[in-house]
Amino acid sequence: MLSESGQRTWPHGVQFSIKWGTPPALPLENSKSTNSDFVISHSSKHLLVMDKLQTIATSKSLDLDTLDFAQAMDARDPLAHLRSEFEIPTKAQVTANASLDDTPCTYLCGNSLGLLPKRSRRVITEELDEWAHRGVVGHHHHSLGRPWVDYREQIVEKMAPLFGAKPVEVGVMNSLTVNVHLMLASFYKPSGKRTKILIEAKAFPSDHYAVESQIQWHNLPKDAMLLATPRAGERTLRTEDILQLIEDQGEQIAVVMLSGVQYYTGQVFEMEKITRAAQAKGCIVGWDLAHAAGNVPVQLHDWNVDFACWCTYKYMNSGPGGISGFFVHERYAQDPSHHRLTGWWAHDAASRFQMTNEFTPNAGAAGFEISCTPVLVSASLLGSLEVFEMTSIAELRNKSELLTAYLEFLLLKHLGDKIEIMTPAEHRGAQLSVLVQTDLFERAFTTLMAEGIICDERKPDCIRLAPVPLYNTFEDVWVCVNVLRKALE
């Protein structure tokens, strides 16, 4: 029911504010799912997701806030089999508390570090065995058909579809901030009055430091870093304000480099719209996709993005400090004159071993890869990508919308007077950033962790919860809120 005040009222008096507007481009129509309960058209918004949950609950004569409903949702989940692909820590293991039982913990921290795919353990072991048994021969003659010299090819073929990219546009090397620096070395070319880099005011510190140091490297003043700031009294950025900033200062902006998903608030930026507006003003556009990779659908090629970088250890489950990926649009693929910092591995693979010291770049993103692919960390990512090949980013997004909407519903119903959700319902991925009353914050977070509900904190009052569709369940969501309720009663 929609009230005159613009609030949508759900069972038990829970209300959701409505902010009408154009939905972000999320290409969900190609979902592989055959279960209609989990298919949400790409034009749907938060209210329709809640309608779907309520419809299922009604059809089963269940209340939305019951464990029975959560378990019923898990029973009909077409992606439920993917959970068995991961090592789920037990409560006793993750808390180092032997008094807790050996049942799986409730792991809601994939926005920080994803769980271990069993296939990653297998692939790493295979590469260690190859090294042990074949030594240097494994570079070119691998007993399992994965020669180390071509390892990147296997990675980018599997990774590109997650980013709406062509394999030629995707590379793998280094860690995220190193790749941010390398991309800025290639694409940030301050000239005349066009010297600024636009980032969000509360960007992840590493992005802030990288941009700051690039500006210093070019001996430019501090105000060459242009900060997009929320309106007074607001925590998230409005798309229209970002677009207006670009319109007003676009002729002074060399590079726009925002986050695809804001790490603190969980806000998904409208990447296509911002990219189009910035390029219309002559700006280069790059995206830090650390919290978007494996989380929300993106179409980097079709959106004409110039470059992007991401880590792979969050939603992509490559392990702590896992290797980073990057994107360079195809229009730069055959442009050897485009400046980049170079190394041997970026040289044309067909003539690399001729050792001529006359640099000819590989086509595409491979021409930006400086050093050889580190096989063991890439093996971990390869195992995870095998799991992603069992589904699609669209299908994962369908489930993610239901999980996160259910989490929001339970939080507001039971704890609405003690918490606030800062993540905008109309622009979010898996993560909800939950603000807890300051006097209750320590008790809330400490209790969750002690009970094996694994999440993370951003002091003084923020708890980030991220149900990941690859391995989290609706029961996980229910258990989390149930523990939090008891802690704050």
Side-chain angles (χ1 to χ4, degrees), residues 303-340:
W303 294 346
N304 206 39
V305 170
D306 293 287
F307 72 89
C309 306
W310 55 89
C311 55
T312 62
Y313 53 81
K314 300 180 187 297
Y315 299 99
M316 293 186 66
N317 316 300
S318 69
I323 196 164
S324 171
F326 70 98
F327 166 91
V328 176
H329 198 278
E330 187 181 33
R331 64 182 175 277
Y332 302 105
Q334 304 297 337
D335 183 7
S337 67
H338 187 87
H339 175 71
R340 80 282 308 273

Side-chain angles (χ1 to χ4, degrees), residues 21-54:
T22 303
L26 297 175
L28 304 180
E29 65 273 12
N30 295 323
S31 169
K32 296 180 181 178
S33 175
T34 58
N35 187 327
S36 62
D37 289 342
F38 283 82
V39 176
I40 305 166
S41 73
H42 90 280
S43 61
S44 297
K45 294 295 290 179
H46 173 64
L47 295 176
L48 293 183
V49 179
M50 282 305 307
D51 277 336
K52 175 65 73 175
L53 289 170
Q54 183 59 62

Side-chain angles (χ1 to χ4, degrees), residues 91-297:
K91 293 178 183 178
Q93 288 171 334
V94 78
T95 62
N97 183 351
S99 68
L100 294 180
D101 58 41
D102 287 329
T103 58
C105 75
T106 302
Y107 194 87
L108 298 175
C109 210
N111 59 311
S112 184
L113 178 66
L115 290 178
L116 169 64
K118 296 175 182 177
R119 292 168 186 255
S120 293
R121 186 192 296 275
R122 187 207 78 221
V123 178
I124 292 170
T125 300
E126 288 171 350
E127 298 305 346
L128 288 171
D129 288 344
E130 187 73 7
W131 180 22
H133 301 153
R134 305 274 286 175
V136 72
V137 174
H139 276 298
H140 295 275
H141 305 285
H142 194 287
S143 60
L144 296 176
R146 296 195 298 258
W148 298 330
V149 72
D150 297 326
Y151 219 78
R152 70 167 306 279
E153 302 300 331
Q154 302 170 74
I155 299 291
V156 301
E157 287 285 342
K158 296 177 187 297
M159 191 158 57
L162 298 178
F163 296 90
K166 298 181 179 182
V168 72
E169 297 174 313
V170 175
V172 57
M173 62 177 177
N174 307 314
S175 55
L176 175 56
T177 307
V178 175
N179 286 345
V180 168
H181 275 295
L182 291 174
M183 292 296 101
L184 288 175
S186 293
F187 289 95
Y188 178 44
K189 302 174 182 179
S191 177
K193 64 180 181 179
R194 192 181 289 277
T195 61
K196 295 184 178 182
I197 301 178
L198 171 62
I199 63 172
E200 68 261 37
K202 294 295 184 180
F204 191 77
S206 200
D207 279 358
H208 187 102
Y209 302 151
V211 168
E212 188 175 54
S213 62
Q214 287 281 334
I215 288 169
Q216 292 169 348
W217 182 262
H218 288 278
N219 294 314
L220 293 168
K222 290 182 178 180
D223 62 6
M225 183 163 61
L226 180 61
L227 302 177
T229 305
R231 296 183 186 185
E234 298 184 0
R235 295 186 176 90
T236 57
L237 285 160
R238 299 191 188 191
T239 300
E240 60 262 35
D241 292 345
I242 297 173
L243 298 181
Q244 190 61 54
L245 185 58
I246 292 170
E247 176 62 28
D248 292 343
Q249 300 201 42
E251 293 181 359
Q252 301 173 52
I253 298 172
V255 176
V256 172
M257 197 189 81
L258 301 171
S259 304
V261 177
Q262 220 285 332
Y263 85 98
Y264 178 64
T265 67
Q267 177 184 8
V268 177
F269 288 113
E270 295 188 82
M271 289 176 265
E272 180 181 17
K273 189 178 294 185
I274 294 168
T275 298
R276 186 187 310 116
Q279 290 178 339
K281 299 293 287 189
C283 310
I284 291 289
V285 179
W287 290 96
D288 177 347
L289 301 179
H291 285 262
N295 178 16
V296 297

